[in-house]
Amino acid sequence: AAKTPAATAVPPLLQSANVPAWPGVLENHSSFSLYVLSIEKGAKIHCTGTCATIWLPLLVAPSTTSIAVSAGVKGHVGFVTRGSMRQVTYNSYPVYTFTGDTGPNQSSGEDTPADGGTWTLVHASATTSGGTPDVTGLGR
């Protein structure tokens, strides 16, 4: 299983948080919002090079087998190999933080068309890939 109880937290903890105008957003342990790129469904990484310097992959050591999650995080946590590391996936989408978010609980990257697709926040309670990348309308 890719999930472990929050009591055995192993960074990066994934948590659900209410970001202004967006309830139930998936965040990392530092309360930075996580995003997915629409064309990366199925753990197919397209964000490389310059893209990966703007959208920072959530990386873990290659030996990582599980990620701690808090209440409200309902989806499947997995991993995809990225160079010598593993990138965290959520319902088959690789997840990223955005350099435009300069502090916790921000959503500057929501609905950004770039890199061959659209960047969206992650809905923490989504249990399918179809519900994962689009929180549009949930908080507006």
Side-chain angles (χ1 to χ4, degrees), residues 38-108:
S38 60
I39 62 172
E40 290 192 330
K41 180 179 176 182
K44 294 180 172 69
I45 294 174
H46 293 275
C47 180
T48 59
T50 302
C51 174
T53 65
I54 297 167
W55 301 92
L56 306 175
L58 183 58
L59 299 173
V60 295
S63 59
T64 303
T65 59
S66 64
I67 298 292
V69 299
S70 69
V73 178
K74 306 295 183 195
H76 175 75
V77 179
F79 307 94
V80 63
T81 300
R82 187 177 187 103
S84 63
M85 302 291 285
R86 295 178 94 192
Q87 184 169 356
V88 176
T89 63
Y90 196 72
N91 294 329
S92 86
Y93 284 92
V95 295
Y96 301 80
T97 57
F98 177 51
T99 57
D101 289 343
T102 57
N105 302 314
Q106 295 182 0
S107 59
S108 301

